[in-house]
Amino acid sequence: MLAADAQALARELRDSGVEVVYLGDVDPRQLVSTALQEDVDAVITPTDHDGVTRLLALADAPDIAVIGPEDALAWAVGAAGERTHRRS
């Protein structure tokens, strides 16, 4: 899930095969609520990583990764590799 004004990043992630839920600029509580509803693997947000991580832990979802936009493509490549290895 992408919570940033980063349309170019959203396109790059989609082109890499990642399903993207694009929210734009929302507060951390809205972000976590949507992440839980959409059953996401990661939240990409430019700010308040600690706050979002804390809210996810309180919601019993500490396994959802919280990453910055600068790390999103590297995460997507790594996550794709993990999915491939799990299928083998």
Side-chain angles (χ1 to χ4, degrees):
M1 181 170 63
L2 180 59
D5 186 14
Q7 294 174 357
L9 176 57
R11 281 191 298 274
E12 286 185 61
L13 288 168
R14 285 187 191 120
D15 290 349
S16 298
V18 175
E19 181 180 349
V20 175
V21 177
Y22 182 70
L23 293 182
D25 190 24
V26 297
D27 73 58
R29 286 186 181 0
Q30 290 172 308
L31 184 60
V32 168
S33 176
T34 303
L36 296 172
Q37 289 173 6
E38 296 291 332
D39 192 29
V40 302
D41 294 319
V43 171
I44 302 166
T45 181
T47 61
D48 200 12
H49 295 154
D50 292 339
V52 172
T53 300
R54 195 170 21 261
L55 289 170
L56 286 168
L58 289 171
D60 198 27
D63 57 325
I64 296 175
V66 180
I67 56 179
E70 65 280 358
D71 298 322
L73 290 175
W75 174 86
V77 169
E82 288 176 16
R83 286 191 298 272
T84 302
H85 290 349
R86 279 190 229 143
R87 290 183 191 147
S88 299

